[in-house]
Amino acid sequence: MPLAIALLGGTFIQTCIPAHAGDQPLYRPAPDWVLPAPVSPSADKESASPVLRLYDVQARIDHGAVWTYVATARRIDTPETMARSGTLTISWRPDHGDLIVHGIEILRDGRKIDVLASGQHFTVLRREAKLESLQLDGSLTATLPITGLQVGDTIISRYSLTEKDPVLLGRVNTAVPLLPQPVPMGFGRARVLWSDTDKVHWKTYLNDVTANEKSEHGWHEWQVSMPVARQPDPAAQAPGRFTRPPLAEFTDFADWAEVSRTMAPLYRIDAPSAAVRPGGELDQEIARIAAATSDPRRRTAMALQLVQDKVRYFAIAMNGGNLVPQTPEQTWSTRYGDCKAKTLLLLAVLHKLGIEAEPALANLHNGDLVHDRLPSVAAFDHVMVLAHVGPSVLWLDGTGLGSREPDLDDVAAYGWVLPVRAAGADLMRAPLRPPARPHIEVHTDIDMRAGVALMAPFQIRLLLRGSLAGQLNSGLASLDPEGKAQTLRRVLGSVRENSIFVHPQFTYDPASGSGTIAASGIIPSPWKRTDGRYTLPTNLVRPSQYPDRSRTIWQAVPVALGNAQHVVIEETFRLSRAGKGIAMQGQADAQRSFPTGGSERVQAEWRDGQWQLSLHNLRSGGELAAADIPAMRRQDADLIARLPSLRTDAGYPAPWHDLEQSRRDHLFDQTIATLDQWVAEKPDDAERYRARAAFYAEIFERQKAIADLTKALALKGDKALYRERAGLYEATGDKDHAVADMTSAYNLDPSDQTTLGRLVFVETWAGKSDEALARLDGLIANGGDREPFHQARKADVLAYRGDAAGALAAINAGLAKRSENAGLLVSRCRLKGLLNTDLDNALADCNHAIQIGGAGATSALGVRGMLQWRLHHWKDAIGDLNQALELNPNQSFLYLLRALAERDGGDGEAARRDWSASRLLNPAMAEYYRQFGLIGF
């Protein structure tokens, strides 16, 4: 039943005013023209029967009035269904028609129970469900809680809604729902009657719908059985005309010109109701505009600003207000109005200023479908103004916000509109073009002078124009400071992802209709490491995500490209070392054009350690033929391949190489100050301490990082926080605290294998190998898929204890069950390398792991380097370790191994550099490996 109400009452702009409407339901028998529908009493408890046993919608069109009858029968199959369906609700608008209840019954054990006869009646509530969207339509809701329901009962409801609108001058437009398969139902029917003398047209948008039509006793009958045929799967991102509303429309409008003529009297500027009172406030506003300029275009812009900025949007669709606009004087006096009221007000102001203009009906939700619909008022849900200024047609919307003179040539994605003229008019297609001004501008200054792979502070300024700025300004006015900050951060996050925004502030400039969000912030490093170098890509352009059109039924369906847009993004990066050792690659000016109109252009300039990027993106919207998708994908790939990027030279210093110099130059100060502000804004947010701890960890101020994580853990006992703090304790050599934190993390999630591995490692290092072995033996005894990996961890513990034979037996037991697992092969290779035993077979394990590939192959390179060092193959060891460090340049153990190979190979200077790097990255690492004879300096 709620579906029926929604389809009948909420699909169209048009609703009607009956001759005798009331604010209470009427209780009367169904009219004679209604055909009864069958509900079999014998099927009331059959579990195989559909829950929706009856869905019957019948309508009669008679002299401009529509009477719609709805009957449903729903089986209560579960207690959950009983809870959902135990209260009947019906909404109607009493100023547009009556709600007439014909009967409410319960079907139980083959007998009918009359609910209304037992004294139960509907209670009427006023529910303005659309109030949050600034609409007051006077809807009433009749509710009836049904007492005594049981599982197995069937609820039968029958009621009617009447409607008639004198504004339509005897014309009518209505619709009935058509539910397609696979909606299960027992009996379904849609039936519509109209007089043989009326010229009613009908149309449905669904495929394979067969209507039975006949004429009898002066009435034409249209009938369809439901559910109708299952509809083809819709293509994603299809233009609106490819949608299939599940309904059938009926209208007696002859053509669009008749619709236009019917609506024209409502917007007559020469009508007394549209008059502007001489000398009144509105007249004085118009006089001010006339005195300010004689330029028609400037006058039009000022008139539009007056209507948009000084009259707030609020729709009152009561007492005939659904189609009839309130007068300009009333709108100005109350300072509110809907699209109709604002349109008539704007027309009146433009008329007084000597600007030719006319209203036009539009559909904001699916203007592309209008051309394929039957001519009717129901095809529209909006009205706006077409102003004729010189040779230009200006598309003006009084319900918008922030439109100014430079924006007058902009056109929203209206699709098809209908000019409203006394002589009538045909549909008119809205043109496609990008906005004249950027509606979004983003300016970001990012300070990366502290290092290429560190968090970086930035300043951002986001400029919004037009409706975006106006809507944000209005929305922020009702929020408290925290709500405003959260909203502004969400907006900023839509243009710069994965960033921290501190103290966002919004300012609005009424003169330009623009709003600016300014904030400071922190971003994680966007640099990528490949082939031993760091690369900063241009992230201003991403490949378009075109939907699937591979299925035959979709191959003729174009792709809707969305609204027109004009976006400008400018980014400035200030780099470390004044840019020394960094070069720009790609094209400094890369651009392309779009087949539907508009262009995309990326420009770059690299000078004196500063990289400036800009994107100008203009798009007209529209649609793309499915056949053109491959070409557009190639165009995307071609543009992205030509985009500029920065790349370091080979051998560019690791990110931590210049930490001390950066510290002396106070290059971390801004990042720390910004993070301090971030924490101070909300000191009860654990994630803010975590963010600051992450930066302190990056610059190796580990005690400060530990302090922040301790504060975070006081607010939230999180597994990841314990692990992060344990890693810092581990690096500082605080074994006991590392064990305690890893134990806490493990207890929070014993299934986490990474946590288990780290716990076993720190327990072993801290002299608690008995505890580690006991835990692993218990897990091994349980068996399962993870047993081989538990054996590998046990082997590490035994090796550290000096039990080489036990260690090898454990790893061999694991590999006996997973012989082709690269990770286990690397574990045995590493184990033998640490124990300095069976090195030739260990090499075979590493080589096999590299052949298998995957993550194991990456770690195998470093482990093989250790074996080569054990075998005194210094050059081969350094080669493998170089490759491993290219893949993971922050691995302390790899620097330790390379230092040993360089030392023994005779390159003492390089060895000392790598030994220092290893100690910087993890000061305690060498202590663990000293047990295996990996002794440095």
Short mmCIF file of all heavy atoms in Angstrom, two decimals, residues 829-850:
data_model
loop_
_atom_site.label_atom_id
_atom_site.label_comp_id
_atom_site.label_asym_id
_atom_site.label_seq_id
_atom_site.Cartn_x
_atom_site.Cartn_y
_atom_site.Cartn_z
N CYS A 829 65.21 -20.16 3.91
CA CYS A 829 66.42 -19.55 3.36
C CYS A 829 67.04 -18.60 4.39
O CYS A 829 68.24 -18.62 4.65
CB CYS A 829 66.07 -18.83 2.07
SG CYS A 829 67.41 -17.88 1.33
N ARG A 830 66.19 -17.75 4.98
CA ARG A 830 66.66 -16.78 5.98
C ARG A 830 67.21 -17.49 7.21
O ARG A 830 68.26 -17.11 7.76
CB ARG A 830 65.51 -15.86 6.36
CG ARG A 830 65.80 -14.86 7.46
CD ARG A 830 64.58 -13.96 7.68
NE ARG A 830 64.76 -13.11 8.84
CZ ARG A 830 64.47 -13.47 10.09
NH1 ARG A 830 64.00 -14.69 10.32
NH2 ARG A 830 64.65 -12.64 11.10
N LEU A 831 66.50 -18.53 7.65
CA LEU A 831 66.91 -19.28 8.84
C LEU A 831 68.30 -19.88 8.65
O LEU A 831 69.18 -19.77 9.52
CB LEU A 831 65.88 -20.36 9.13
CG LEU A 831 65.97 -21.04 10.49
CD1 LEU A 831 65.63 -20.07 11.60
CD2 LEU A 831 65.02 -22.24 10.52
N LYS A 832 68.52 -20.49 7.49
CA LYS A 832 69.83 -21.10 7.24
C LYS A 832 70.91 -20.03 7.11
O LYS A 832 72.06 -20.24 7.52
CB LYS A 832 69.76 -21.95 5.98
CG LYS A 832 68.92 -23.22 6.15
CD LYS A 832 68.87 -24.04 4.86
CE LYS A 832 68.08 -25.33 5.06
NZ LYS A 832 68.00 -26.16 3.84
N GLY A 833 70.54 -18.88 6.57
CA GLY A 833 71.51 -17.80 6.47
C GLY A 833 71.91 -17.28 7.84
O GLY A 833 73.10 -17.02 8.10
N LEU A 834 70.95 -17.12 8.73
CA LEU A 834 71.26 -16.65 10.09
C LEU A 834 72.11 -17.69 10.82
O LEU A 834 73.04 -17.34 11.56
CB LEU A 834 69.96 -16.38 10.85
CG LEU A 834 69.14 -15.15 10.41
CD1 LEU A 834 67.82 -15.10 11.16
CD2 LEU A 834 69.92 -13.86 10.62
N LEU A 835 71.77 -18.98 10.64
CA LEU A 835 72.50 -20.04 11.33
C LEU A 835 73.81 -20.41 10.62
O LEU A 835 74.60 -21.21 11.14
CB LEU A 835 71.61 -21.30 11.43
CG LEU A 835 70.36 -21.15 12.29
CD1 LEU A 835 69.45 -22.36 12.15
CD2 LEU A 835 70.73 -20.92 13.75
N ASN A 836 74.01 -19.82 9.41
CA ASN A 836 75.22 -20.06 8.62
C ASN A 836 75.41 -21.56 8.38
O ASN A 836 76.48 -22.13 8.63
CB ASN A 836 76.45 -19.47 9.34
CG ASN A 836 77.64 -19.31 8.39
OD1 ASN A 836 77.49 -19.37 7.16
ND2 ASN A 836 78.83 -19.11 8.95
N THR A 837 74.35 -22.17 7.83
CA THR A 837 74.39 -23.61 7.58
C THR A 837 73.67 -23.94 6.28
O THR A 837 72.71 -23.25 5.91
CB THR A 837 73.74 -24.38 8.75
OG1 THR A 837 73.90 -25.77 8.53
CG2 THR A 837 72.26 -24.05 8.90
N ASP A 838 74.17 -24.98 5.60
CA ASP A 838 73.53 -25.50 4.39
C ASP A 838 73.20 -24.36 3.41
O ASP A 838 72.08 -24.25 2.90
CB ASP A 838 72.25 -26.24 4.78
CG ASP A 838 71.71 -27.12 3.65
OD1 ASP A 838 72.47 -27.40 2.70
OD2 ASP A 838 70.53 -27.49 3.71
N LEU A 839 74.20 -23.50 3.13
CA LEU A 839 73.96 -22.27 2.37
C LEU A 839 73.58 -22.53 0.92
O LEU A 839 72.79 -21.78 0.34
CB LEU A 839 75.19 -21.38 2.46
CG LEU A 839 75.57 -20.91 3.87
CD1 LEU A 839 76.80 -20.02 3.83
CD2 LEU A 839 74.39 -20.18 4.53
N ASP A 840 74.15 -23.60 0.30
CA ASP A 840 73.81 -23.86 -1.09
C ASP A 840 72.33 -24.21 -1.26
O ASP A 840 71.65 -23.72 -2.17
CB ASP A 840 74.67 -25.00 -1.62
CG ASP A 840 76.14 -24.59 -1.79
OD1 ASP A 840 76.38 -23.38 -1.95
OD2 ASP A 840 77.01 -25.47 -1.75
N ASN A 841 71.81 -25.07 -0.37
CA ASN A 841 70.39 -25.38 -0.43
C ASN A 841 69.54 -24.17 -0.05
O ASN A 841 68.41 -24.00 -0.55
CB ASN A 841 70.06 -26.55 0.49
CG ASN A 841 70.52 -27.87 -0.10
OD1 ASN A 841 70.44 -28.08 -1.31
ND2 ASN A 841 71.01 -28.77 0.75
N ALA A 842 70.07 -23.33 0.83
CA ALA A 842 69.35 -22.11 1.18
C ALA A 842 69.22 -21.22 -0.05
O ALA A 842 68.15 -20.63 -0.30
CB ALA A 842 70.08 -21.37 2.29
N LEU A 843 70.31 -21.10 -0.84
CA LEU A 843 70.23 -20.32 -2.07
C LEU A 843 69.16 -20.88 -3.01
O LEU A 843 68.43 -20.13 -3.66
CB LEU A 843 71.59 -20.32 -2.78
CG LEU A 843 72.58 -19.23 -2.38
CD1 LEU A 843 73.92 -19.45 -3.09
CD2 LEU A 843 72.04 -17.85 -2.72
N ALA A 844 69.07 -22.19 -3.08
CA ALA A 844 68.06 -22.80 -3.94
C ALA A 844 66.66 -22.41 -3.48
O ALA A 844 65.77 -22.15 -4.31
CB ALA A 844 68.23 -24.32 -3.93
N ASP A 845 66.45 -22.38 -2.16
CA ASP A 845 65.15 -21.95 -1.65
C ASP A 845 64.82 -20.52 -2.07
O ASP A 845 63.69 -20.21 -2.49
CB ASP A 845 65.13 -22.05 -0.12
CG ASP A 845 64.88 -23.48 0.38
OD1 ASP A 845 64.40 -24.30 -0.43
OD2 ASP A 845 65.14 -23.73 1.56
N CYS A 846 65.81 -19.63 -1.90
CA CYS A 846 65.57 -18.22 -2.27
C CYS A 846 65.28 -18.08 -3.76
O CYS A 846 64.37 -17.34 -4.16
CB CYS A 846 66.79 -17.38 -1.89
SG CYS A 846 66.76 -16.80 -0.17
N ASN A 847 66.06 -18.77 -4.58
CA ASN A 847 65.85 -18.68 -6.02
C ASN A 847 64.47 -19.21 -6.42
O ASN A 847 63.79 -18.66 -7.29
CB ASN A 847 66.94 -19.45 -6.76
CG ASN A 847 68.30 -18.77 -6.64
OD1 ASN A 847 68.37 -17.54 -6.48
ND2 ASN A 847 69.37 -19.54 -6.71
N HIS A 848 64.07 -20.30 -5.77
CA HIS A 848 62.75 -20.86 -6.05
C HIS A 848 61.65 -19.87 -5.65
O HIS A 848 60.66 -19.69 -6.38
CB HIS A 848 62.59 -22.17 -5.28
CG HIS A 848 61.37 -22.95 -5.71
ND1 HIS A 848 60.98 -24.11 -5.09
CD2 HIS A 848 60.46 -22.74 -6.69
CE1 HIS A 848 59.88 -24.56 -5.67
NE2 HIS A 848 59.55 -23.75 -6.64
N ALA A 849 61.82 -19.21 -4.50
CA ALA A 849 60.84 -18.22 -4.07
C ALA A 849 60.74 -17.07 -5.06
O ALA A 849 59.65 -16.58 -5.36
CB ALA A 849 61.21 -17.69 -2.68
N ILE A 850 61.89 -16.63 -5.59
CA ILE A 850 61.88 -15.55 -6.57
C ILE A 850 61.15 -15.99 -7.83
O ILE A 850 60.40 -15.21 -8.44
CB ILE A 850 63.32 -15.10 -6.88
CG1 ILE A 850 63.93 -14.42 -5.64
CG2 ILE A 850 63.36 -14.16 -8.08
CD1 ILE A 850 65.40 -14.13 -5.76
#
